Every structure is written in C-alpha cells, then in structure tokens.
Amino acid sequence: MVTPDLPITTDRLLLRLYTEDDLDDVHDIQSRPDVTRYLYWGVRDHTQARGSLAMKIAASGLSEEGDNLTLAVVLPETGKLIGDVQLIWVSREHRQGEIGYIFHPDFGGHGYATEAAEVVLRLGFEAYGLHRVVGRLDARNTASARVLERLGMRREAHLVQNEIVKGEWTDEVVYAMLADEWRARAGLTS
C-alpha cells in the first residue's frame, strides 16, 4: 500500500489520517441535513458515524483498484477537524482516480475545500501516477461544482436523471483533469 508522507501541511490546513478521537467531529458533520443533501446517504446518528469513521481510518493508502485515501482536514491553530478529502483508485489499467470532499458548512466560503482538494489532485497525479482524475456530483450542488472549477477541472458531462437518490431522480455532473493538464497548471514539465 502506498501512503504519502503525512501529515501534509498547506498554507492554512493540516491533512492527516483519521483517528478514533475524530468521532465527535465526524458525527457533527455527518448528522447535518445540509451536508448530506446531495450525497448518497442521509444524516447519520452516532453509531452510523462510528462505522463511517472506521472506514475512514482504514482508508489510509492505495494498493489496488477500489482503495481510497481519506484525509482529515484540520485547522492547525485550533486542531478543529473541518472536513475531509478523498482519492479513490478507480482503474489500474486506465490509471484513473476520483476525488471527493465533505466539509462542515460553518467553514464554507473560505477556500478550504479547494486548498485541500488540490493536495489530493497533486497526490493522484504526482505520487500515484494517475492519468485522469474525475469529480462527480449532484448537478444541484453548485458549491461543489465551483470547487472543481477552481481546481482547473473541466466539465465533461451532464447526465440527466441518471440515478434515483433518496427517492428522486437526480442529474449528475462529471468534471475531469488529465495528468498533462495538471502538469501545465502546476508549471511542471513532462
């Protein structure tokens, strides 16, 4: 399993693996209807959040298709966990991955999601050698779309009523970036 050197620090954030001590913060995020509105799952009680945390703790690196790396995003000055970012290894053969993120709404509007997701994109392309990374979202989630656009990902598809989520037909939007696009954006040479 390939796990990057952690923790990773950015200008304003600390990204690290999850621990058992994160349960209350995970529950605080996952128990909010405004967080889960556009996700496949609904609000979670404390027991469900504990199960989710166990999966996040196990998601510590990529070794085969389907694995994911989930990093807790923390404000270093307070130690407050404000969300997480995720990289999923979708295909070994096609060197493809997917990014995702969930943040507490109280910390929205500060660019934290973009700053943390950029770390995951860098890991995907530079540490894991992916060729293509996608981000998928409910078309109504315009805040998430803005994060992907700020990362330089291009909108590739708008799938109309392709899934039933929580009892209603929803549209899905897909954004993507190629390794060459990442290198150009990051000012790296091939």
Side-chain angles (χ1 to χ4, degrees), residues 3-10 13-23 25-26 53 56-57 59-60 69-76 78-86 116 119-120 123:
T3 301
D5 289 334
L6 297 170
I8 297 170
T9 57
T10 68
L13 303 171
L14 175 76
L15 283 71
R16 61 164 173 77
L17 295 175
Y18 271 94
T19 70
E20 294 288 340
D21 294 335
D22 296 322
L23 179 59
D25 287 331
V26 168
L53 177 59
K56 290 175 184 299
I57 290 170
S60 60
L69 171 66
T70 302
L71 299 176
V73 179
V74 176
L75 294 175
T78 63
K80 175 70 176 164
L81 188 151
I82 62 169
D84 65 45
V85 289
Q86 179 179 61
V119 170
V120 175
L123 289 173

Side-chain angles (χ1 to χ4, degrees), residues 33-184:
D34 54 345
V35 169
T36 64
R37 171 69 180 107
Y38 301 120
L39 301 176
Y40 290 112
W41 42 270
V43 295
R44 291 181 170 156
D45 62 24
H46 212 264
T47 300
Q48 292 166 321
R50 184 183 312 281
S52 174
L53 177 59
M55 291 188 298
K56 290 175 184 299
I57 290 170
S60 60
L62 306 180
S63 62
E64 59 187 57
E65 284 183 27
D67 284 353
N68 74 77
L69 171 66
T70 302
L71 299 176
V73 179
V74 176
L75 294 175
E77 62 277 0
T78 63
K80 175 70 176 164
L81 188 151
I82 62 169
D84 65 45
V85 289
Q86 179 179 61
L87 177 66
I88 304 167
W89 192 1
V90 175
S91 171
R92 176 186 294 274
E93 178 183 2
H94 303 291
R95 295 180 23 224
Q96 296 197 30
E98 180 177 341
I99 64 168
Y101 39 84
I102 298 173
F103 280 80
H104 194 293
D106 289 353
F107 299 93
H110 300 286
Y112 294 138
T114 304
E115 189 172 327
E118 187 168 36
V119 170
V120 175
L121 272 180
R122 180 175 46 80
L123 289 173
F125 291 122
E126 297 177 21
Y128 292 110
L130 297 176
H131 170 71
R132 173 182 161 86
V133 176
V134 301
R136 300 178 308 116
L137 55 114
D138 185 306
R140 299 168 295 180
N141 193 346
T142 57
S144 185
R146 284 192 302 273
V147 169
L148 298 176
E149 290 164 0
R150 281 192 298 271
L151 290 169
M153 299 180 80
R154 92 189 100 64
R155 184 173 166 156
E156 286 195 334
H158 183 132
L159 308 172
V160 178
Q161 295 186 6
N162 68 313
E163 297 178 311
I164 296 176
V165 178
K166 299 177 186 164
E168 64 181 323
W169 285 106
T170 62
D171 292 7
E172 179 180 22
V173 176
V174 179
Y175 284 79
M177 179 179 276
L178 300 175
D180 288 344
E181 294 167 324
W182 169 258
R183 284 191 292 275

